[in-house]
Structures are given as structure tokens and as C-alpha cells.
Amino acid sequence: MRLIDLRSDTVTRPTPEMREAMARAEVGDDVYGEDPTVNRLQERAAEIFQKEAALFVPSGTMGNQICVKVHTRPGQEVILEEKSHIYNFEMAAMAVISGTLPRVVRGRDGIVDWPTIEAALSPNVYYRAPTGLICLENTHNLAGGTVLPVETARQICARAHERGVPVHLDGARVFNAAVACARSVAELAEPFDSVMVCLSKGLGAPVGSLILGSRAFIEEARAVRKMLGGGMRQVGVLAAAGLIALEKMPARLVEDHEKARLLAFGLAELPGLALDPEKVQTNIVIVDVAATGWTAEEFAGRLKARGVLVGSLGPTTVRLVTHYDVSREDCAEALRRIREVLREAPRLHSARA
Ligand code: TLP
């Protein structure tokens, strides 16, 4: 039975072209700034995003946390959406590494507007910790891969800058966002002071993320990366795969989005599954399985026994992510297996009896 892995786009394996480029990569010691392939990757990324400079980092988490640290000082607040990755899935690193306090706001489908953020800004009084940073996420992972409209981002950044507050973009999947709203990543990144983008998700590289910003910001970021143990040596072998991810893989993300819609519309027809397929904009589908009578973990466990891997997010929500290593046929097959599994669902079964 073919295993269909829909847990995340992080499970993608490097393409044959990436492996070849990795084997051939010219390398040097990147801690001395002497790895030509890393330097090329950083220069290309800066060009593509139209930022002054870029830095290759081991993971999205480290990239985000370096940015939080460079933008803030201990004792400041950081405004984040309540389902954001930085707040939920990064091991409280913003508190541990940067000594900052999250102040969370709620977005609609993960998208926050300026009035909501403005209300959360710290008033200028002596007993309140000042706001040091605002973080946005595009696409928004836990809200189901939703796209932050470019006008919303521009407005938030412009108003925040008037108040002297920098804005960071967790753009782990910003290439998916760009494809979905037919803009360039440079346009989406333009209003932000810093951007983190992952090469190891839908773009298929085995490891690595980039952070982008002004030259001065990236110089500071390089020091923080070293402090966190993220200084890497002959890492051109990874940057070589990253270059292919950056140059060649964005063009095919549209296929992942089509597969996600195929899955979403198929799932919406199945009994016991709640989702609005019209809301699926990119490669992430989130489904509520409460009406089956199973928890998310039970549902995922049943599917696993049939060779379909999905992620359980909340008590009754599961996430399915499409990517390079699952085909349209795999998605259709996953739907068939999910339909079969649902025949065993306790609540649906007793409702029929
Ligand atoms: N997301 C992973 C898990 O951690 C949930 C996934 O499978 O989606 N920002 C966003 C928006 C992310 O989705 C992720 C990873 C990161 C940052 C962190 O990247 P890594 O895993 O490279 O540290």
C-alpha cells in the first residue's frame, strides 16, 4: 500500500536535481563568510525579495527567533496573532531567548487588521512594558494557509512605523502566498523590516531558511545566529539545494494549491467532516472531525493504519498539507481511504443505526 504523507510540506525530499547540485557544490567555511554557494544563495534571495541582504539559517524557528531578538530588548512586548507559529510552536523561545512577552490578538481566519493591533499597542505609561515588535504570518499556517492581503500588510506596517514599531514577517510559506494572490514575493515583503522564508517546505529543499532585511539588520542577525549555535561551516552543500528551491520550485506551487482544493472539496462531501472548501487558498486544509465522535488523534490513527498520514492540530482538528511528493492521484486515493475510515466512525455509525 502506498503511503500518502499529508502531515506537512516539510516532508518533501530533495529532488534529483538538488542532490546533484549538492554533490557538486563548491564550499568554504561560512562562519568566515567564505562559502561561495551560501554567498550566492544569499545574494539571489536578496535580489528576489528586493531587500538589502539575506542570511541562511538552519530552520524557520531559528530565523524567526533571530529576528525577534534583533528587533527587541528584554522586557518588551511583541504583538502576535493568537494562532501564530511564533507564539504556539516555537517553544516559548521569544521569552527564553529574547525576554519578550507575547501580547496576542485575534484575527479573522488568522488575518489581523490595523485597528486590532492598534488596540494592543502598549500605552506610553510607566507601568506598561513597551511594544517592541509586531509579527505577522503569510501564509497563516494554523488558520489554514490563509493569505495576508498586501494592502492589509502595507497599512499595518505604515501605521506601526509611524509609532516607531518594526514589523517582522514569518513568511515560511510566503511563496505560496505570492502564487495565490498573483504578486511577487518582493511586493509581499516590501513593507516589512524583516522577513523569514523557508526553503524546506513547499520549495522542497532538505534544510534551511533565509532571513532578509537591511544590511545593518542582517549583520546583527549574523551575530545572533552564531550565539544560538547556528553558524555553519561547509554548508554550501545545503545552499546548493536551496538555490534550486528558490529559482525553480515556486513556479510549481500552483499545483499544490490545486491538489489542496481537490482534497478540500472531496472532504467537504464526506459525512462527519466540517470545513469550508471555498476558504482553501493555498496548500493547507484544516478539517474538524468532532461530528465523527473521534478525537483528531483517533481519526489520524485510523487513517495511519490505512497508509494516510495527517497531522492532528487541536482536540478535533486535523491538518492536511499538499506538496511535491503527493500527486493528484494520491489525493484522490487519500479521499477514498478517508471515506472508508469514516464508515467506522462511532457517531456516524450510531446515527445511521
Ligand atoms: N511549521 C511546521 C510545524 O512546526 C507546524 C509545519 O509542519 O507546518 N513559521 C511557520 C508559519 C511554520 O509553519 C513553521 C514550521 C515555522 C515557522 C518553523 O519552521 P522550522 O520547522 O523550519 O523551524
Side-chain angles (χ1 to χ4, degrees), residues 8 59-61 64 85 89-90 137 141 170 172-173 201 319:
S8 182
S59 69
T61 301
N64 278 334
H85 194 278
F89 286 172
E90 299 188 9
E137 188 172 312
N141 182 352
D170 176 348
R173 296 184 180 83
K201 298 199 162 57
R319 185 184 73 156

Side-chain angles (χ1 to χ4, degrees), residues 29-77:
D29 191 327
D30 182 52
V31 172
Y32 296 124
E34 290 173 2
D35 188 303
T37 313
V38 172
N39 291 341
R40 228 174 50 240
L41 173 67
Q42 292 173 166
E43 279 155 28
R44 269 307 282 148
E47 258 168 39
I48 290 168
F49 280 83
Q50 288 171 31
K51 294 284 187 203
E52 279 177 20
L55 186 70
F56 189 47
V57 293
S59 69
T61 301
M62 191 188 284
N64 278 334
Q65 295 302 330
I66 289 171
C67 292
V68 172
K69 178 130 186 88
V70 174
H71 283 304
T72 61
R73 53 183 169 73
Q76 288 186 325
E77 290 188 355

Side-chain angles (χ1 to χ4, degrees), residues 190-202:
E190 191 272 327
F192 292 92
D193 300 277
S194 58
V195 177
M196 186 286 289
V197 57
C198 291
L199 302 171
S200 63
K201 298 199 162 57

